[in-house]
Amino acid sequence: MEAVLLFPNAILAAPTKLKPVEKTADPIISQIGDFRRYQLFFFFLILLCKFGSGWHTLGHIFLAAPTDISCATANVTDPCSEECEEIEFDTSVFKSTIITEWDLTCEKKQLASLSQSIVMFGILVGSLLFGMGADRFGRRPAFLTSCFMQLITGLIVCVSPYFWFYCLFRFLVAVATAGTMTASFVLIMEIVGPKRRELIAICYQLPFNIGHASLAVFAYFIREWRWFQFSITIFSAVFVIYICLVPESPRWLLTTGRVDKSVKILEKIAKCNKAPVDTVRPEIEAAYVTIAARQPVKKGTMLDLFRTPFLRVKTIFMANNWLVACMVYYGTAQYVSRLGGNIFVSNLIAASVGIPGTILCVFMTKYLGRKKTLLLSNGCSAVGLLLLACLSSQGDIFRISCAAIGLFGASVTFPNVYLYGAELFPTVVRSNGVGLCSTIGRIGSIVAPLICDLDTYGIWIAPLIFGIFCMLSMLGTIFIPETRGLPLPETLEDGESFGRKKKEQA
């Protein structure tokens, strides 16, 4: 669909007094402004897709909710013994889950957690596939494809006849969900100027936290897993509005030589932002001439992240931070359901702390810096989780409070590592660095459900593991330099020297 239909009439209101745009080295921001009317509208529009990322990524909490079992065979008390011929499920809380549907109990108990690890693997695959697709075919096609793929595959999950079928389509939902997260973030970041980019990058995570918290509300009113899955999927039907309201990234169009299309979209954005329109075409065409004439810069590879000693240290410890952030957040979120008490209240409380945590991250990174914020947030998670491990025999309220503290710390860590990682790596290998960290982080989220399953041997084991990893992350962060307020490193030489003390550089 052409860009003519991509802007609502309400946004393109009657002409008013034009507000000049500050000219910068960025040709796109120089035409539309740093963060004005259209960017605000587009930000809230794109945020709609982030709720689904929270629902589908963590829906397993209630799809596979803990279900008590007993043996219906006379004179047999152990439902997992060979003498037990028939297992009876307690359906007083949930009428059906994937556990009751496919009898994922006893020796098949770990299959439920394995299905969630498959989901996390799907997030990893989707991030890679849609990341490459967005670069090659455009942000808009990748974004729309992932949105509608999420809707279709999510609905198919609702009618799964077999467990393997369920796992396959939950994997595809996860691939699509990763695509919506990747493409939507890039779409927003490419039209927001540097003055608001830090704030928007962190606030972009809020709908994920809200989606996580709202799962308890969905599950409270919908106690059958198929209808629960339907309820968190059908919202994706609203994404049909994106066909008309989400244009291609003008920055991607410019860098790939589609100057005329880029100009048309930028003129509409400029008009919405009450910025001058007459200078858009000549300045963008001049910018493209400069880009086309520029000598190609030598691209770095992932191996370059490990060639020099200091950059290697920073890469390893930043990747470890991502690993811990994903492991602790997703692991603790799923572990809360195993702590007893009211599953709806405990999950709502634990998930809700992520909302103020993300908001607090904005102020902490701004005034304390990335490094101190990361040390404090990991320390908060470590305290909560180690307390939970040491005092796991205490009452439900105490245990859930400790888990909530751990999740609160992780909710501050999560958006911070995105920002910190992007600022730490030099430009020539920034995509490789962030991509590597993201991949390592997904490994953490893949193993998290399997760590939670260790509660079979002791309810204290999982929080102990998560808490120890948080402490190791704190130790590693000591070796990572602060990036707040500093120019971004550009070359591999900058990446090696960035953060070194002056005496060491001499």
Side-chain angles (χ1 to χ4, degrees):
M1 186 173 291
E2 294 297 327
V4 177
L5 300 178
L6 297 174
F7 297 85
N9 292 331
I11 295 292
L12 301 176
T16 55
K17 186 177 179 180
L18 298 179
K19 298 178 182 179
V21 178
E22 179 184 355
K23 299 301 179 183
T24 68
D26 189 325
I28 300 296
I29 303 304
S30 293
Q31 310 309 316
I32 62 177
D34 198 84
F35 189 78
R36 293 191 179 183
R37 189 180 180 185
Y38 178 77
Q39 285 101 322
L40 181 63
F41 160 77
F42 192 73
F43 174 65
F44 283 112
L45 177 69
I46 292 296
L47 283 191
L48 291 176
C49 76
K50 280 292 288 182
F51 292 98
S53 64
W55 293 333
H56 290 292
T57 304
L58 291 165
H60 176 81
I61 294 171
F62 295 103
L63 289 168
T67 306
D68 292 332
I69 60 174
S70 58
C71 184
T73 305
N75 302 319
V76 179
T77 57
D78 183 3
C80 292
S81 67
E82 294 181 357
E83 291 78 17
C84 184
E85 298 176 356
E86 182 182 356
I87 289 177
E88 192 173 77
F89 292 96
D90 179 5
T91 57
S92 60
V93 179
F94 292 96
K95 292 182 179 179
S96 70
T97 65
I98 65 168
I99 292 175
T100 64
E101 181 83 18
W102 292 296
D103 189 19
L104 305 181
T105 59
C106 302
E107 70 276 2
K108 295 191 292 183
K109 180 182 177 181
Q110 289 189 332
L111 290 178
S113 294
L114 180 62
S115 72
Q116 179 63 2
S117 294
I118 291 172
V119 167
M120 292 305 180
F121 181 65
I123 297 289
L124 189 157
V125 172
S127 298
L128 296 175
L129 289 180
F130 281 98
M132 292 185 291
D135 283 341
R136 182 170 183 179
F137 303 109
R139 286 46 167 139
R140 175 178 152 88
F143 180 59
L144 293 180
T145 300
S146 60
C147 284
F148 292 110
M149 178 180 173
Q150 185 185 78
L151 172 63
I152 295 168
T153 55
L155 292 176
I156 293 175
V157 169
C158 301
V159 295
S160 300
Y162 311 107
F163 179 66
W164 67 264
F165 189 95
Y166 168 86
C167 290
L168 172 62
F169 278 89
R170 278 277 285 161
F171 169 81
L172 294 176
V173 170
V175 170
T177 299
T180 65
M181 292 190 288
T182 302
S184 63
F185 185 73
V186 173
L187 277 167
I188 291 175
M189 289 296 103
E190 290 190 338
I191 63 168
V192 174
K195 293 180 181 178
R196 294 288 182 271
R197 197 168 287 156
E198 176 183 311
L199 173 66
I200 294 302
I202 295 175
C203 289
Y204 171 80
Q205 305 295 334
L206 273 174
F208 181 93
N209 301 124
I210 297 172
H212 178 193
S214 64
L215 281 171
V217 180
F218 280 101
Y220 180 80
F221 291 103
I222 306 170
R223 306 293 182 96
E224 297 182 32
W225 80 265
R226 294 183 187 272
W227 285 108
F228 173 79
Q229 172 67 24
F230 179 81
S231 69
I232 64 176
T233 300
I234 196 60
F235 178 81
S236 299
V238 77
F239 295 162
V240 70
I241 66 173
Y242 287 153
I243 296 175
C244 298
L245 297 180
V246 176
E248 182 54 88
S249 165
R251 189 180 300 276
W252 181 82
L253 290 170
L254 174 63
T255 56
T256 54
R258 299 162 174 84
V259 179
D260 191 56
K261 290 183 178 180
S262 178
V263 167
K264 288 180 180 179
I265 293 174
L266 286 171
E267 286 176 343
K268 290 180 178 295
I269 297 177
K271 185 178 179 181
C272 173
N273 285 346
K274 303 177 186 178
V277 177
D278 54 340
T279 61
V280 173
R281 181 170 292 277
E283 291 189 14
I284 289 299
E285 288 178 346
Y288 179 69
V289 171
T290 303
I291 292 172
R294 188 181 301 159
Q295 290 294 325
V297 179
K298 181 184 177 182
K299 298 292 184 181
T301 67
M302 195 169 291
L303 291 177
D304 290 323
L305 294 167
F306 299 93
R307 291 189 193 282
T308 53
F310 193 43
L311 183 57
R312 178 166 59 244
V313 167
K314 291 184 288 186
T315 300
I316 291 171
F317 288 124
M318 180 53 69
N320 181 59
N321 273 312
W322 281 66
L323 173 77
V324 173
C326 291
M327 179 192 295
V328 172
Y329 186 90
Y330 291 117
T332 308
Q334 294 165 61
Y335 189 74
V336 169
S337 301
R338 306 172 186 232
L339 293 178
N342 187 303
I343 188 173
F344 307 106
V345 174
S346 59
N347 274 279
L348 179 61
I349 293 172
S352 295
V353 300
I355 299 172
T358 300
I359 295 173
L360 183 62
C361 183
V362 175
F363 299 98
M364 290 181 70
T365 53
K366 182 177 179 62
Y367 296 106
L368 296 180
R370 288 55 160 148
K371 183 172 182 173
K372 288 181 180 178
T373 299
L374 196 53
L375 287 169
L376 289 171
S377 61
N378 274 320
C380 178
S381 292
V383 168
L385 293 166
L386 291 176
L387 275 175
L388 176 57
C390 295
L391 303 172
S392 57
S393 60
Q394 298 298 311
D396 295 340
I397 295 177
F398 177 83
R399 291 188 295 176
I400 291 168
S401 298
C402 288
I405 293 171
L407 260 179
F408 177 80
S411 69
V412 178
T413 300
F414 218 96
N416 187 21
V417 293
Y418 273 87
L419 178 64
Y420 203 177
E423 292 177 337
L424 187 68
F425 298 112
T427 300
V428 292
V429 287
R430 184 166 295 124
S431 293
N432 283 288
V434 174
L436 173 65
C437 288
S438 180
T439 301
I440 298 296
R442 300 308 170 192
I443 293 174
S445 60
I446 289 170
V447 301
L450 305 179
I451 293 175
C452 290
D453 267 353
L454 296 175
D455 67 343
T456 302
Y457 306 100
I459 196 170
W460 53 272
I461 297 177
L464 178 64
I465 293 174
F466 295 147
I468 290 173
F469 269 93
C470 286
M471 293 182 66
L472 292 174
S473 183
M474 291 177 67
L475 290 174
T477 302
I478 295 172
F479 300 97
I480 305 176
E482 179 58 72
T483 60
R484 180 186 58 159
L486 298 176
L488 296 179
E490 299 291 344
T491 64
L492 291 173
E493 290 74 18
D494 293 340
E496 176 61 18
S497 61
F498 182 77
R500 280 190 180 276
K501 295 179 181 179
K502 292 183 179 179
K503 289 183 180 179
E504 294 178 355
Q505 295 181 37

